[in-house]
Amino acid sequence: MSVTILVADDDRDIRDVIHIYLRNEGYRVLEAENGSQALTMVQQHKIDLIILDVMMPLLDGITACLKIREISHVPIIMLSAKEEYLDKITGLSTGADDYVTKPFNSLELIARVKAQLRRQNFAVHPQAQSSSEIHIDELVISKDHHRTTVRGQVISLTPIEFSILELLATHQGQVFSIDKIYQSVWKEQNEFYSENTVMVHIRNIREKIEINAREPQYIKTVWGVGYKIDK
C-alpha cells in the first residue's frame, strides 16, 4: 500500500524539488500552496506524513499545525527558512514531530521523512510489546491501547511523545541521554538530528502530564547526563 505525503509550501519550486525526491522514493505526493489547503487535504485524504512550511499565506504553518493536531496525529515535519532557536521551539510545541531549515539538504529531508514513517509504523504495529499497563503513581501508560492517563484524565500524546514516555517508564531508574532517546525512539542514528528536537518533546510531555512542568514529578532531568523516570 503506497504512502501518501502532503507537501505544503507556497514556493512552487520548492514543492517541485521535494515532490521529485519523494516520488523517486516511491511515495505518492499531494501538494498544497497554503495552510488552508493543507488542512482541507488532511480532512479529505488519508495522509501518512506532512511536510509543512512555516511561512505561508491565508493560514501559516504554525496555525495549520495546531488545527491539524486537533483532528490527526499524522507525523509533521516543519520546514522554514528561519534558523532561530525560538522558531524551532514554536514549531515543535504546536505538535510537529521534526523541524528542517531552508536551504535544506535533500538527503537530510528524505532521511527525516523515512525516520518519521518508521516511527509511525512502529506505533501502529508495535513489535513484541507487552499488553500490560505501566502504573507510576497517578500516571498510567497502556501499551496495548497506546493511551496515557494522568489523575484519571486521558492525555493526548503524539506517537513520538508516547514512545519517549513509554521508553522512560519501561526502564524506570535508568538514565537515558538525548542521543540514546533519539536512537531508541527514532530507531536510527542520524547525523542530521538536533538535540533540541528531543528536548522540546520532553518539555511538551512534561507540560501535558506534570502538575508543574518546572518541578516535574515524573520525568526527571539528570544534569549533564539525560532524563529518567524514578522507580
Side-chain angles (χ1 to χ4, degrees):
M1 190 172 182
S2 63
V3 170
T4 300
I5 298 178
L6 172 61
V7 179
D9 195 306
D10 61 327
D11 188 322
R12 183 171 183 176
D13 290 338
I14 290 178
R15 293 202 311 272
D16 287 346
V17 170
I18 296 175
H19 192 138
I20 291 171
Y21 276 93
L22 292 175
R23 187 180 60 199
N24 288 342
E25 294 292 330
Y27 302 128
R28 174 173 176 254
V29 183
L30 300 178
E31 296 185 19
E33 59 185 25
N34 57 63
S36 181
Q37 285 185 3
L39 182 59
T40 299
M41 287 188 174
V42 171
Q43 294 168 332
Q44 295 179 346
H45 301 273
K46 181 184 180 301
I47 308 294
D48 297 291
L49 182 141
I50 302 172
I51 298 174
L52 189 64
D53 186 38
V54 171
M55 300 300 292
M56 291 186 292
L58 298 183
L59 191 68
D60 65 85
I62 298 297
T63 305
C65 185
L66 285 168
K67 291 183 176 295
I68 290 170
R69 276 291 169 257
E70 294 175 359
I71 60 175
S72 174
H73 286 310
V74 60
I76 297 175
I77 299 176
M78 301 298 291
L79 196 62
S80 174
K82 296 183 177 180
E83 298 182 1
E84 290 83 356
Y85 176 71
L86 287 179
D87 291 317
K88 293 187 178 183
I89 293 291
T90 301
L92 293 172
S93 295
T94 59
D97 298 282
D98 206 348
Y99 192 107
V100 176
T101 55
K102 301 176 184 176
F104 54 85
N105 180 309
S106 298
L107 294 179
E108 172 188 357
L109 181 60
I110 294 300
R112 294 194 182 211
V113 166
K114 290 181 176 180
Q116 290 300 326
L117 291 173
R118 280 196 296 270
R119 270 301 322 136
Q120 181 72 355
N121 185 62
F122 185 81
V124 175
H125 304 289
Q127 300 174 355
Q129 290 196 88
S130 168
S131 61
S132 63
E133 293 184 341
I134 302 174
H135 292 255
I136 306 173
D137 295 328
E138 296 181 294
L139 173 66
V140 180
I141 302 167
S142 175
K143 294 183 178 181
D144 51 346
H145 294 104
H146 235 252
R147 185 178 66 178
T148 304
T149 61
V150 179
R151 296 173 290 280
Q153 299 295 316
V154 177
I155 305 300
S156 178
L157 298 177
T158 67
I160 290 290
E161 291 168 354
F162 183 90
S163 295
I164 293 173
L165 181 61
E166 180 186 7
L167 173 69
L168 297 177
T170 302
H171 301 85
Q172 294 174 45
Q174 181 176 340
V175 181
F176 283 82
S177 67
I178 291 176
D179 286 346
K180 185 62 176 178
I181 291 174
Y182 186 87
Q183 293 169 23
S184 300
V185 171
W186 277 260
K187 305 299 177 186
E188 67 172 14
Q189 291 181 321
N190 188 344
E191 62 180 300
F192 299 117
Y193 98 96
S194 167
E195 289 187 354
N196 293 336
T197 299
V198 175
M199 294 168 64
V200 172
H201 283 304
I202 291 287
R203 194 191 74 173
N204 291 345
I205 297 168
R206 282 175 168 167
E207 290 181 347
K208 292 178 179 181
I209 70 172
E210 304 284 1
I211 295 176
N212 183 351
R214 294 187 176 183
E215 298 180 4
Q217 172 187 353
Y218 299 108
I219 300 180
K220 304 293 181 64
T221 299
V222 181
W223 294 108
V225 183
Y227 301 96
K228 69 173 182 175
I229 291 181
D230 286 328
K231 292 184 178 179

